[in-house]
Amino acid sequence: MKKVKLIFVAFILVACFINKIQAQVQGAESYRPQFHFSPKKGWMNDPNGMIFLNGKYHLFFQHNPNATTWGPMHWGHAISTDLVNWQEQKIALYPDSLGTIFSGSAVIDKNNTAGFGKNALVAVFTHHDHKVEESKSGLPAQHQSLAYSMDEGKTWTKYSGNPVLRSPGLQAFRDPKVMWYEADKQWIMTLATGGSATFYASKDLKSWNKVGEFGVGFGSPEGTWECPDLFSLPVNGGQKWVLLSSLSSGAPNGGSGTQYFVGQFDGNTFTPDHKDVRWIDYGTDNYAGITWSNTGERKIFIGWMNNWTYANVIPEQGWRGAATIARDLNLKQVGNEFYLTSLPVKELNGMTGKTNVIKNIQVKGDYDLSAKIAAFNGKFQLELATVVDESFSLQLGNRKGEMLIIGYDKANNNFYMDRSKSGLVSIPNNFAKNIIAPRIAKGSPVSLKLLLDASSAELFADEGLTVMTNTFFNSEPFNQLYIKTNKPVTIQKLKYSGIKN
Ligand code: FRU
């Protein structure tokens, strides 16, 4: 009998212990997004080397597996068949005697130009030599290198002739994005070179020649250019080229952000159509994003949902950093100009639960949607379209009085997201603030798509012409939602859905 009692007490103790651990883990995971990629443990920054191969989307990423702050960079690896559900894999690339593994891209070498094998998956990345950098020798520490995989990225071999492109003397010489340029039957590498992007050409991925440079005197004047990306998009039966360049500082709402140019690429250099500065995302938390390789005409972008200005000090829960939702990029004409649009990939719809639709809501003052969204626990998508161009806001809140206010301000012709009372906001460098994005669409009724996933809000206004991604750290999910207006506003259609577990 005594033995039975003892077993019973031991059982209760074990159950309590498991419960406690579970509670801690749940608490510890409260910021973890459900339909965005985040690493199981450790730190992540830039997405890298994204490639579509045999039905699978590969996402590599800047990863420090041993700490939740930036440190010796590895390439982490995750795979998805739908761009939404990600399975983290073994680390792909580890630091070596030439340095740590900074950002870069990957291509399929269909014709075996490099000699690693037909259809080799080749990663082109920056080796960053910390020893050189720390020695204050003044010598450049960043060079471009190759690694290849013959088994869809499971195992990698670094090329014995690394590095393949040494810095000509620049400190910032990194983040190679490589594409096959069919017109000249050669590879083109777009590289971040201080305050510009430089284009290199190669027939074999191993020997590279400079063919052009773009950037001096263009775009935002602040910050180092990082993670450039050059790709074409179809427009009116033809095509235009888009150049992305992430800037380490000087973004519209502070810190780091990604600007873009629309123009022409002639095989050697890029010529923009416009002088004004444009941002792929006006929020504070979308950086170093680039597009997938090997997806044909479809261009899919993903960014790092963070900002260098506070990246290392936002709350961590054993992991720190996540990716944005994958987004389809397209060009849209407004007036005489072409602008980039970004919208969540349609694959996200496969992740959502039942879609609820409410039509013709007349709002004057407050319209309470809390009962509709409470069960989603801060993880849902919502779309709305107005019939007139009039100011309104969406106020998300919780029982603690924390709130995130998202709105359209007609008088100032902008969208905003005010996270100044969104929970934990005592994060340095002006985290607690109202984040503003200009409206690019002209005069038409406003449409919004909002994705909320635990600790991030992504707003796609006017079919993706104005985009904002912002993080927040609330102490409870936002389970309350009010639409607020001063003047009467008709919401023609409101759609909302939770995310499937
Ligand atoms: C951009 C960046 C890249 C660099 C990487 C290092 O966020 O600074 O330029 O390759 O991060 O982790």
Side-chain angles (χ1 to χ4, degrees):
M1 191 59 189
K2 218 172 160 193
K3 209 171 162 190
V4 173
K5 256 190 188 165
L6 265 177
I7 292 173
F8 181 68
V9 170
F11 176 78
I12 296 287
L13 283 175
V14 170
C16 288
F17 181 66
I18 290 175
N19 238 332
K20 195 167 170 212
I21 298 280
Q22 260 177 0
Q24 276 174 0
V25 169
Q26 267 158 23
E29 295 286 278
S30 62
Y31 299 138
R32 187 177 294 279
Q34 195 178 329
F35 55 98
H36 292 77
F37 174 74
S38 57
K40 285 207 175 80
K41 81 182 230 321
W43 160 274
M44 87 166 265
N45 56 291
D46 316 355
N48 292 146
M50 292 96 74
I51 189 127
F52 182 62
L53 177 59
N54 299 334
K56 290 183 195 128
Y57 293 94
H58 292 260
L59 167 67
F60 299 91
F61 56 95
Q62 289 286 277
H63 188 32
N64 183 5
N66 302 316
T68 50
T69 45
W70 189 84
M73 281 293 116
H74 301 56
W75 272 28
H77 184 197
I79 296 180
S80 171
T81 51
D82 60 9
L83 293 157
V84 185
N85 292 288
W86 293 99
Q87 303 297 325
E88 196 167 337
Q89 309 291 310
K90 285 197 322 234
I91 290 176
L93 299 175
Y94 284 81
D96 58 42
S97 61
L98 294 176
T100 57
I101 316 295
F102 271 20
S103 286
S105 52
V107 291
I108 313 283
D109 190 5
K110 293 182 180 144
N111 299 321
N112 195 17
T113 62
F116 300 140
K118 195 170 160 50
N119 290 322
L121 171 58
V122 183
V124 191
F125 60 88
T126 301
H127 258 128
H128 180 91
D129 189 339
H130 292 272
K131 292 192 297 299
V132 168
E133 192 186 39
E134 279 147 24
S135 69
K136 307 250 179 312
S137 60
L139 293 173
Q142 298 180 343
H143 311 286
Q144 317 322 312
S145 290
L146 308 178
Y148 59 94
S149 169
M150 300 306 293
D151 59 4
E152 298 191 7
K154 285 192 198 72
T155 57
W156 291 85
T157 307
K158 303 231 180 75
Y159 171 49
S160 55
N162 282 340
V164 292
L165 176 60
R166 285 186 173 275
S167 171
L170 295 170
Q171 287 309 325
F173 189 71
R174 57 175 181 261
D175 308 339
K177 181 78 183 348
V178 174
M179 63 168 179
W180 178 252
Y181 188 67
E182 183 57 32
D184 292 345
K185 302 244 177 304
Q186 59 184 359
W187 301 100
I188 293 290
M189 175 196 292
T190 306
L191 197 67
T193 47
S196 63
T198 300
F199 307 103
Y200 289 82
S202 172
K203 296 277 181 202
D204 62 1
L205 292 167
K206 290 174 176 165
S207 99
W208 294 92
N209 300 312
K210 177 174 171 176
V211 290
E213 185 173 353
F214 167 75
V216 179
F218 285 95
S220 181
E222 250 183 82
T224 302
W225 285 37
E226 300 182 316
C227 302
D229 190 4
L230 175 72
F231 51 89
S232 64
L233 281 171
V235 31
N236 294 348
Q239 66 168 18
K240 279 198 178 282
W241 287 83
V242 174
L243 181 71
L244 305 181
S245 145
S246 284
L247 290 180
S248 56
S249 59
N253 285 287
S256 48
T258 303
Q259 60 178 349
Y260 76 86
F261 303 88
V262 180
Q264 303 304 328
F265 179 68
D266 63 4
N268 294 318
T269 198
F270 179 84
T271 312
D273 290 350
H274 56 99
K275 265 287 196 184
D276 56 320
V277 184
R278 300 177 186 176
W279 303 87
I280 193 167
D281 189 315
Y282 285 83
T284 47
D285 299 284
N286 179 353
Y287 192 61
I290 50 172
T291 57
W292 255 269
S293 297
N294 205 32
T295 53
E297 266 197 352
R298 185 178 183 196
K299 294 290 173 254
I300 310 165
F301 167 95
I302 196 165
W304 171 44
M305 228 168 3
N306 214 330
N307 189 312
W308 275 121
T309 195
Y310 46 64
N312 278 286
V313 295
I314 57 169
E316 57 95 6
Q317 298 178 326
W319 59 278
R320 196 186 251 140
T324 65
I325 199 76
R327 303 166 182 193
D328 273 305
L329 300 183
N330 280 294
L331 288 171
K332 183 169 183 176
Q333 191 165 357
V334 179
N336 295 324
E337 305 263 337
F338 284 93
Y339 288 82
L340 199 58
T341 62
S342 333
L343 283 172
V345 290
K346 61 177 181 326
E347 287 84 344
L348 179 63
N349 296 333
M351 257 301 263
T352 57
K354 177 175 169 282
T355 301
N356 304 281
V357 181
I358 315 179
K359 286 191 176 155
N360 290 321
I361 311 172
Q362 314 292 329
V363 191
K364 168 88 180 83
D366 282 11
Y367 186 86
D368 187 357
L369 281 162
S370 307
K372 313 260 188 230
I373 62 118
F376 300 151
N377 248 356
K379 294 167 183 150
F380 60 91
Q381 66 167 328
L382 181 141
E383 273 173 65
L384 66 79
T386 62
V387 278
V388 286
D389 170 21
E390 198 49 75
S391 300
F392 65 90
S393 65
L394 301 173
Q395 187 177 305
L396 286 151
N398 62 18
R399 291 180 313 177
K400 299 269 173 70
E402 297 164 347
M403 56 179 115
L404 182 70
I405 306 167
I406 298 161
Y408 166 58
D409 176 349
K410 182 181 175 176
N412 291 305
N413 199 34
N414 62 35
F415 297 94
Y416 59 90
M417 212 187 280
D418 186 348
R419 68 176 174 194
S420 58
K421 298 189 182 68
S422 58
L424 194 160
V425 291
S426 56
I427 294 169
N429 297 328
N430 215 3
F431 183 90
K433 66 172 176 185
N434 187 17
I435 297 155
I436 292 171
R439 187 168 197 219
I440 292 162
K442 305 234 183 298
S444 47
V446 174
S447 70
L448 295 184
K449 184 166 197 152
L450 175 68
L451 304 185
L452 213 73
D453 192 2
S455 53
S456 64
E458 291 164 283
L459 178 73
F460 303 87
D462 297 323
E463 296 297 311
L465 270 173
T466 298
V467 177
M468 264 206 272
T469 303
N470 299 309
T471 54
F472 54 84
F473 302 97
N474 51 4
S475 55
E476 269 188 11
F478 288 135
N479 285 341
Q480 302 165 356
L481 174 60
Y482 293 90
I483 305 179
K484 290 181 171 262
T485 64
N486 289 329
K487 293 191 185 147
V489 171
T490 303
I491 310 282
Q492 189 188 30
K493 199 170 181 187
L494 180 90
K495 274 169 61 170
Y496 58 95
S497 47
I499 301 298
K500 275 189 217 154
N501 273 315

PDB file of all heavy atoms in Angstrom, residues 45-46 62 70 73 102-103 174-175 226-227 287-288 304 308, ligand 1:
ATOM      1  N   ASN A  45      18.913  36.928 -38.443  1.00  0.00           N
ATOM      2  CA  ASN A  45      18.663  38.180 -39.148  1.00  0.00           C
ATOM      3  C   ASN A  45      18.338  37.878 -40.611  1.00  0.00           C
ATOM      4  O   ASN A  45      17.368  37.123 -40.836  1.00  0.00           O
ATOM      5  CB  ASN A  45      19.712  39.271 -38.887  1.00  0.00           C
ATOM      6  CG  ASN A  45      21.154  38.959 -39.165  1.00  0.00           C
ATOM      7  OD1 ASN A  45      21.742  38.168 -38.463  1.00  0.00           O
ATOM      8  ND2 ASN A  45      21.743  39.602 -40.145  1.00  0.00           N
ATOM      9  N   ASP A  46      19.043  38.420 -41.563  1.00  0.00           N
ATOM     10  CA  ASP A  46      18.596  38.387 -42.967  1.00  0.00           C
ATOM     11  C   ASP A  46      18.189  37.005 -43.491  1.00  0.00           C
ATOM     12  O   ASP A  46      18.905  36.031 -43.278  1.00  0.00           O
ATOM     13  CB  ASP A  46      19.722  38.831 -43.907  1.00  0.00           C
ATOM     14  CG  ASP A  46      20.473  40.036 -43.431  1.00  0.00           C
ATOM     15  OD1 ASP A  46      20.093  40.625 -42.416  1.00  0.00           O
ATOM     16  OD2 ASP A  46      21.465  40.390 -44.090  1.00  0.00           O
ATOM     17  N   GLN A  62      20.568  34.253 -41.886  1.00  0.00           N
ATOM     18  CA  GLN A  62      21.682  34.615 -41.011  1.00  0.00           C
ATOM     19  C   GLN A  62      21.333  34.137 -39.608  1.00  0.00           C
ATOM     20  O   GLN A  62      20.302  34.535 -39.040  1.00  0.00           O
ATOM     21  CB  GLN A  62      21.876  36.133 -41.024  1.00  0.00           C
ATOM     22  CG  GLN A  62      22.444  36.652 -42.321  1.00  0.00           C
ATOM     23  CD  GLN A  62      23.922  36.324 -42.454  1.00  0.00           C
ATOM     24  OE1 GLN A  62      24.765  37.014 -41.933  1.00  0.00           O
ATOM     25  NE2 GLN A  62      24.246  35.255 -43.169  1.00  0.00           N
ATOM     26  N   TRP A  70      23.260  38.969 -32.192  1.00  0.00           N
ATOM     27  CA  TRP A  70      24.075  38.768 -33.390  1.00  0.00           C
ATOM     28  C   TRP A  70      25.448  38.270 -32.971  1.00  0.00           C
ATOM     29  O   TRP A  70      26.011  38.727 -31.964  1.00  0.00           O
ATOM     30  CB  TRP A  70      24.192  40.106 -34.146  1.00  0.00           C
ATOM     31  CG  TRP A  70      24.817  39.952 -35.492  1.00  0.00           C
ATOM     32  CD1 TRP A  70      24.190  39.586 -36.642  1.00  0.00           C
ATOM     33  CD2 TRP A  70      26.187  40.163 -35.828  1.00  0.00           C
ATOM     34  NE1 TRP A  70      25.088  39.544 -37.674  1.00  0.00           N
ATOM     35  CE2 TRP A  70      26.333  39.892 -37.203  1.00  0.00           C
ATOM     36  CE3 TRP A  70      27.324  40.529 -35.107  1.00  0.00           C
ATOM     37  CZ2 TRP A  70      27.551  40.001 -37.876  1.00  0.00           C
ATOM     38  CZ3 TRP A  70      28.545  40.638 -35.774  1.00  0.00           C
ATOM     39  CH2 TRP A  70      28.652  40.375 -37.142  1.00  0.00           C
ATOM     40  N   MET A  73      28.231  34.316 -37.693  1.00  0.00           N
ATOM     41  CA  MET A  73      27.117  34.012 -38.599  1.00  0.00           C
ATOM     42  C   MET A  73      27.257  32.662 -39.285  1.00  0.00           C
ATOM     43  O   MET A  73      28.304  32.320 -39.827  1.00  0.00           O
ATOM     44  CB  MET A  73      27.007  35.108 -39.668  1.00  0.00           C
ATOM     45  CG  MET A  73      26.333  36.354 -39.158  1.00  0.00           C
ATOM     46  SD  MET A  73      24.593  36.061 -38.786  1.00  0.00           S
ATOM     47  CE  MET A  73      24.569  36.330 -37.054  1.00  0.00           C
ATOM     48  N   PHE A 102      28.335  35.470 -44.074  1.00  0.00           N
ATOM     49  CA  PHE A 102      27.385  36.577 -44.187  1.00  0.00           C
ATOM     50  C   PHE A 102      26.364  36.282 -45.308  1.00  0.00           C
ATOM     51  O   PHE A 102      26.384  35.239 -45.931  1.00  0.00           O
ATOM     52  CB  PHE A 102      28.144  37.879 -44.464  1.00  0.00           C
ATOM     53  CG  PHE A 102      28.577  38.615 -43.211  1.00  0.00           C
ATOM     54  CD1 PHE A 102      28.671  37.974 -41.988  1.00  0.00           C
ATOM     55  CD2 PHE A 102      28.880  39.973 -43.254  1.00  0.00           C
ATOM     56  CE1 PHE A 102      29.058  38.651 -40.835  1.00  0.00           C
ATOM     57  CE2 PHE A 102      29.270  40.672 -42.118  1.00  0.00           C
ATOM     58  CZ  PHE A 102      29.360  40.009 -40.902  1.00  0.00           C
ATOM     59  N   SER A 103      25.545  37.296 -45.592  1.00  0.00           N
ATOM     60  CA  SER A 103      24.416  37.086 -46.504  1.00  0.00           C
ATOM     61  C   SER A 103      24.820  36.791 -47.944  1.00  0.00           C
ATOM     62  O   SER A 103      25.928  37.117 -48.379  1.00  0.00           O
ATOM     63  CB  SER A 103      23.505  38.315 -46.480  1.00  0.00           C
ATOM     64  OG  SER A 103      22.789  38.303 -45.281  1.00  0.00           O
ATOM     65  N   ARG A 174      29.729  43.161 -49.926  1.00  0.00           N
ATOM     66  CA  ARG A 174      29.063  41.943 -49.449  1.00  0.00           C
ATOM     67  C   ARG A 174      27.669  41.725 -50.050  1.00  0.00           C
ATOM     68  O   ARG A 174      27.159  42.539 -50.784  1.00  0.00           O
ATOM     69  CB  ARG A 174      28.954  41.984 -47.930  1.00  0.00           C
ATOM     70  CG  ARG A 174      28.216  43.188 -47.354  1.00  0.00           C
ATOM     71  CD  ARG A 174      28.084  43.039 -45.847  1.00  0.00           C
ATOM     72  NE  ARG A 174      27.377  44.124 -45.212  1.00  0.00           N
ATOM     73  CZ  ARG A 174      27.968  45.149 -44.593  1.00  0.00           C
ATOM     74  NH1 ARG A 174      29.278  45.242 -44.555  1.00  0.00           N
ATOM     75  NH2 ARG A 174      27.233  46.084 -44.024  1.00  0.00           N
ATOM     76  N   ASP A 175      27.091  40.620 -49.644  1.00  0.00           N
ATOM     77  CA  ASP A 175      25.701  40.246 -49.908  1.00  0.00           C
ATOM     78  C   ASP A 175      25.425  40.002 -51.402  1.00  0.00           C
ATOM     79  O   ASP A 175      24.530  40.624 -52.001  1.00  0.00           O
ATOM     80  CB  ASP A 175      24.731  41.316 -49.359  1.00  0.00           C
ATOM     81  CG  ASP A 175      25.001  41.653 -47.900  1.00  0.00           C
ATOM     82  OD1 ASP A 175      25.623  40.817 -47.217  1.00  0.00           O
ATOM     83  OD2 ASP A 175      24.613  42.743 -47.456  1.00  0.00           O
ATOM     84  N   GLU A 226      23.077  47.497 -48.323  1.00  0.00           N
ATOM     85  CA  GLU A 226      23.224  46.092 -47.963  1.00  0.00           C
ATOM     86  C   GLU A 226      22.198  45.282 -48.755  1.00  0.00           C
ATOM     87  O   GLU A 226      21.174  45.811 -49.195  1.00  0.00           O
ATOM     88  CB  GLU A 226      22.987  45.892 -46.461  1.00  0.00           C
ATOM     89  CG  GLU A 226      23.974  46.674 -45.601  1.00  0.00           C
ATOM     90  CD  GLU A 226      23.798  46.449 -44.101  1.00  0.00           C
ATOM     91  OE1 GLU A 226      22.667  46.445 -43.595  1.00  0.00           O
ATOM     92  OE2 GLU A 226      24.819  46.297 -43.425  1.00  0.00           O
ATOM     93  N   CYS A 227      22.485  44.017 -48.917  1.00  0.00           N
ATOM     94  CA  CYS A 227      21.536  43.060 -49.507  1.00  0.00           C
ATOM     95  C   CYS A 227      20.797  43.590 -50.737  1.00  0.00           C
ATOM     96  O   CYS A 227      19.550  43.614 -50.756  1.00  0.00           O
ATOM     97  CB  CYS A 227      20.511  42.635 -48.458  1.00  0.00           C
ATOM     98  SG  CYS A 227      21.270  41.900 -47.023  1.00  0.00           S
ATOM     99  N   TYR A 287      13.514  44.286 -42.984  1.00  0.00           N
ATOM    100  CA  TYR A 287      14.852  44.656 -43.439  1.00  0.00           C
ATOM    101  C   TYR A 287      15.522  43.503 -44.167  1.00  0.00           C
ATOM    102  O   TYR A 287      15.211  42.325 -43.936  1.00  0.00           O
ATOM    103  CB  TYR A 287      15.720  45.078 -42.240  1.00  0.00           C
ATOM    104  CG  TYR A 287      17.000  45.739 -42.709  1.00  0.00           C
ATOM    105  CD1 TYR A 287      16.948  46.911 -43.458  1.00  0.00           C
ATOM    106  CD2 TYR A 287      18.245  45.183 -42.453  1.00  0.00           C
ATOM    107  CE1 TYR A 287      18.109  47.514 -43.933  1.00  0.00           C
ATOM    108  CE2 TYR A 287      19.411  45.782 -42.923  1.00  0.00           C
ATOM    109  CZ  TYR A 287      19.327  46.941 -43.663  1.00  0.00           C
ATOM    110  OH  TYR A 287      20.473  47.542 -44.145  1.00  0.00           O
ATOM    111  N   ALA A 288      16.459  43.887 -45.059  1.00  0.00           N
ATOM    112  CA  ALA A 288      17.359  42.935 -45.727  1.00  0.00           C
ATOM    113  C   ALA A 288      16.613  41.881 -46.532  1.00  0.00           C
ATOM    114  O   ALA A 288      17.127  40.780 -46.720  1.00  0.00           O
ATOM    115  CB  ALA A 288      18.277  42.259 -44.699  1.00  0.00           C
ATOM    116  N   TRP A 304      13.436  40.328 -43.070  1.00  0.00           N
ATOM    117  CA  TRP A 304      13.674  40.062 -41.645  1.00  0.00           C
ATOM    118  C   TRP A 304      12.815  41.048 -40.868  1.00  0.00           C
ATOM    119  O   TRP A 304      12.914  42.263 -41.094  1.00  0.00           O
ATOM    120  CB  TRP A 304      15.166  40.266 -41.373  1.00  0.00           C
ATOM    121  CG  TRP A 304      15.603  40.257 -39.949  1.00  0.00           C
ATOM    122  CD1 TRP A 304      15.229  39.398 -38.966  1.00  0.00           C
ATOM    123  CD2 TRP A 304      16.552  41.166 -39.360  1.00  0.00           C
ATOM    124  NE1 TRP A 304      15.892  39.710 -37.804  1.00  0.00           N
ATOM    125  CE2 TRP A 304      16.721  40.789 -38.011  1.00  0.00           C
ATOM    126  CE3 TRP A 304      17.299  42.255 -39.836  1.00  0.00           C
ATOM    127  CZ2 TRP A 304      17.570  41.464 -37.143  1.00  0.00           C
ATOM    128  CZ3 TRP A 304      18.148  42.924 -38.972  1.00  0.00           C
ATOM    129  CH2 TRP A 304      18.284  42.525 -37.648  1.00  0.00           C
ATOM    130  N   TRP A 308      17.803  47.156 -37.237  1.00  0.00           N
ATOM    131  CA  TRP A 308      19.118  47.120 -36.574  1.00  0.00           C
ATOM    132  C   TRP A 308      19.197  48.088 -35.396  1.00  0.00           C
ATOM    133  O   TRP A 308      20.022  47.921 -34.502  1.00  0.00           O
ATOM    134  CB  TRP A 308      20.245  47.416 -37.569  1.00  0.00           C
ATOM    135  CG  TRP A 308      20.678  46.192 -38.315  1.00  0.00           C
ATOM    136  CD1 TRP A 308      20.660  45.998 -39.668  1.00  0.00           C
ATOM    137  CD2 TRP A 308      21.207  44.972 -37.753  1.00  0.00           C
ATOM    138  NE1 TRP A 308      21.127  44.739 -39.984  1.00  0.00           N
ATOM    139  CE2 TRP A 308      21.467  44.092 -38.827  1.00  0.00           C
ATOM    140  CE3 TRP A 308      21.454  44.527 -36.460  1.00  0.00           C
ATOM    141  CZ2 TRP A 308      21.985  42.806 -38.640  1.00  0.00           C
ATOM    142  CZ3 TRP A 308      21.976  43.236 -36.273  1.00  0.00           C
ATOM    143  CH2 TRP A 308      22.232  42.405 -37.351  1.00  0.00           C
TER     144      TRP A 308
HETATM  145  C1  FRU B   1      22.222  43.119 -43.221  1.00  0.00           C
HETATM  146  C2  FRU B   1      23.625  42.615 -42.912  1.00  0.00           C
HETATM  147  C3  FRU B   1      24.325  42.203 -44.192  1.00  0.00           C
HETATM  148  C4  FRU B   1      25.335  41.208 -43.703  1.00  0.00           C
HETATM  149  C5  FRU B   1      24.582  40.515 -42.602  1.00  0.00           C
HETATM  150  C6  FRU B   1      25.446  40.081 -41.463  1.00  0.00           C
HETATM  151  O1  FRU B   1      21.361  43.019 -42.150  1.00  0.00           O
HETATM  152  O2  FRU B   1      24.358  43.597 -42.220  1.00  0.00           O
HETATM  153  O3  FRU B   1      24.868  43.276 -44.905  1.00  0.00           O
HETATM  154  O4  FRU B   1      25.739  40.317 -44.688  1.00  0.00           O
HETATM  155  O5  FRU B   1      23.619  41.426 -42.129  1.00  0.00           O
HETATM  156  O6  FRU B   1      24.744  39.278 -40.577  1.00  0.00           O
END
